[in-house]
Amino acid sequence: MGRHSCCYKQKLRKGLWSPEEDEKLLRHITKYGHGCWSSVPKQAGLQRCGKSCRLRWINYLRPDLKRGTFSQHEENLIIELHAVLGNRWSQIAAQLPGRTDNEIKNLWNSCIKKKLRQRGIDPNTHKPLSEVDDSLLPVVDKLNLAESKQPVQVPDRNPFETSTSKINSSPNNSMTPTKEFFHSTNQSALAGLSMNPNLWFNQNCVKPFDLSQDFSCNTISTIVPSMTSSILSTPMGLKPVVGLANDSELTSDKEVGIQIEGDPDELKWSEYLHPGFPISAALQGHGQANLFGDIKCESQSADAAAATWQQSQQHQQEQQLLASDVYGKDFQRLSYEHI
DNA sequence: AAATATCTCAACCGCTGCACT
DNA sequence: TAGTGCAGCGGTTGAGATATT
């Protein structure tokens, strides 16, 4: 089609940027802003294409970039977000201030994938490697899988779990939620739901939010990608959510109750969280709660949360029966305690 | 010490979606 | 409606650094 692209222009420099080029670009953008990227190289006196300038600015020159190695918390967050978002690096990067999509992508491909395999987790599906169907893997992944299966190393803790978490903290609890949850065998009915009990909740969402800033997630439909529309329109109105308890004022002995209220069924569910613990991970164990109604997260005392939790038990059972009615035999109730 | 293998990461490539005409 | 320009995204590449033999 002969579509014109800045990349096809002749006499443009490629490869690594020199300090002089960096300085020119930095000075120009600091003074004038980038505006239209295609005009930046000319205005800044650079023999580069606009695309290259944009990339250099975003990945290297931007003043708000955080340098240095990733913290353990950041790595955990990336794993958690990858389980939710897959390879949507820019969306993942949006949740890590000062980090770029390129940086996160590189970290994932060079480090995190390896670490997960060593822990016996498939980085693509986030399932235990023992569950991964070899026939579905590319040859390269099969090789990696075979390698990492050698010393079958069962993870001794949930990689999403923080040290301060009380949730899923039993000694042999790795990626294993101990509660029952719903799992549909009808893929069209619940398109997008993960087959992974740890993640089915996650796969459908979304932009994590910070509890310290906003406890309300009733607007979840506005941040759930369009891919979840089929889920949202299910008879039960699934509205998944993911978040982090990041309130810096919280201490390890101060609990936050996460309450989920269903409408119109007034389903209530609660769990205790500690700072830094991914809500999604906490919710995994009680995933069925997320099948119903709107979700609202509120801060409440441990006692109040416990009372709410008690109150919700009976209602959840009723809702589970209702789900069976809705989906008939396609809907199974499974326990993953044996995994 | 040299050769080779592996890893890291900056940058490129090709594609998509959107806005505009 | 189709064509064009652009920004942005994710996959891939390859040079340099580091580890291993």
Side-chain angles (χ1 to χ4, degrees):
Chain A
M1 293 279 283
R3 183 173 147 164
H4 185 261
S5 162
C6 61
C7 304
Y8 303 140
K9 286 179 182 172
Q10 300 299 310
K11 296 181 181 177
L12 293 181
R13 266 179 59 84
K14 290 170 75 171
L16 295 178
W17 281 64
S18 68
E20 292 76 24
E21 287 178 307
D22 279 345
E23 194 186 334
K24 280 183 181 177
L25 183 60
L26 183 61
R27 195 186 310 144
H28 175 79
I29 293 180
T30 304
K31 197 169 180 181
Y32 304 106
H34 62 73
C36 174
W37 280 111
S38 58
S39 60
V40 164
K42 190 178 177 184
Q43 293 168 354
L46 291 162
Q47 297 291 95
R48 296 270 181 176
C49 69
K51 212 171 178 178
S52 183
C53 293
R54 175 184 161 271
L55 211 61
R56 186 63 178 171
W57 173 257
I58 289 173
N59 288 337
Y60 191 80
L61 295 175
R62 245 169 55 198
D64 58 329
L65 283 179
K66 191 191 284 182
R67 313 269 179 189
T69 55
F70 283 75
S71 68
Q72 191 56 52
H73 174 73
E74 284 176 311
E75 280 193 26
N76 289 343
L77 185 55
I78 290 168
I79 293 168
E80 170 78 358
L81 290 168
H82 186 271
V84 174
L85 299 164
N87 293 359
R88 295 187 182 91
W89 306 116
S90 60
Q91 289 182 40
I92 293 173
Q95 307 308 320
L96 286 104
R99 301 297 189 181
T100 70
D101 53 353
N102 210 31
E103 202 176 7
I104 292 169
K105 183 170 57 183
N106 283 334
L107 180 76
W108 179 266
N109 288 324
S110 63
C111 282
I112 297 181
K113 272 171 109 171
K114 204 183 304 172
K115 284 185 185 175
L116 286 177
R117 287 201 182 97
Q118 284 170 354
R119 293 181 201 175
I121 299 166
D122 178 59
N124 298 316
T125 63
H126 294 256
K127 291 179 182 178
L129 283 170
S130 55
E131 282 185 19
V132 176
D133 180 358
D134 284 14
S135 65
L136 298 176
L137 292 173
V139 174
V140 173
D141 278 0
K142 283 181 186 175
L143 291 171
N144 290 332
L145 184 57
E147 187 184 333
S148 52
K149 272 184 175 175
Q150 286 292 329
V152 182
Q153 189 179 0
V154 179
D156 57 6
R157 63 189 293 266
N158 189 328
F160 306 147
E161 185 180 352
T162 65
S163 59
T164 54
S165 169
K166 282 168 72 175
I167 304 162
N168 294 338
S169 59
S170 63
N172 43 5
N173 180 4
S174 53
M175 291 284 287
T176 312
T178 56
K179 303 287 182 180
E180 293 170 332
F181 72 100
F182 281 114
H183 164 61
S184 172
T185 56
N186 182 341
Q187 294 303 293
S188 59
L190 284 178
L193 279 187
S194 167
M195 301 292 283
N196 181 348
N198 299 300
L199 301 175
W200 72 264
F201 168 81
N202 289 339
Q203 295 284 349
N204 305 293
C205 27
V206 296
K207 185 174 179 179
F209 60 93
D210 186 337
L211 278 182
S212 65
Q213 294 166 3
D214 184 4
F215 274 74
S216 170
C217 13
N218 281 327
T219 56
I220 196 69
S221 60
T222 64
I223 57 174
V224 173
S226 57
M227 61 181 268
T228 63
S229 58
S230 61
I231 305 300
L232 294 170
S233 61
T234 58
M236 290 178 290
L238 171 63
K239 293 192 176 182
V241 63
V242 62
L244 283 175
N246 275 343
D247 191 333
S248 59
E249 291 183 10
L250 296 176
T251 63
S252 61
D253 58 356
K254 184 176 176 184
E255 292 163 326
V256 176
I258 300 302
Q259 181 180 19
I260 298 176
E261 292 185 337
D263 180 34
D265 299 317
E266 294 182 357
L267 172 73
K268 291 186 178 178
W269 177 91
S270 66
E271 185 55 271
Y272 304 139
L273 295 182
H274 289 287
F277 189 78
I279 291 173
S280 58
L283 296 183
Q284 284 163 13
H286 312 286
Q288 70 271 24
N290 305 302
L291 281 169
F292 311 104
D294 291 328
I295 296 173
K296 188 167 78 178
C297 297
E298 291 176 348
S299 176
Q300 61 181 183
S301 71
D303 286 346
T308 306
W309 168 245
Q310 291 280 333
Q311 194 182 353
S312 72
Q313 292 303 292
Q314 186 182 353
H315 194 81
Q316 282 187 31
Q317 288 177 2
E318 291 168 11
Q319 293 292 339
Q320 288 165 5
L321 290 173
L322 172 65
S324 298
D325 289 337
V326 171
Y327 287 106
K329 59 186 176 184
D330 285 333
F331 226 80
Q332 299 176 351
R333 190 178 181 184
L334 302 176
S335 170
Y336 282 78
E337 290 180 348
H338 64 283
I339 294 174

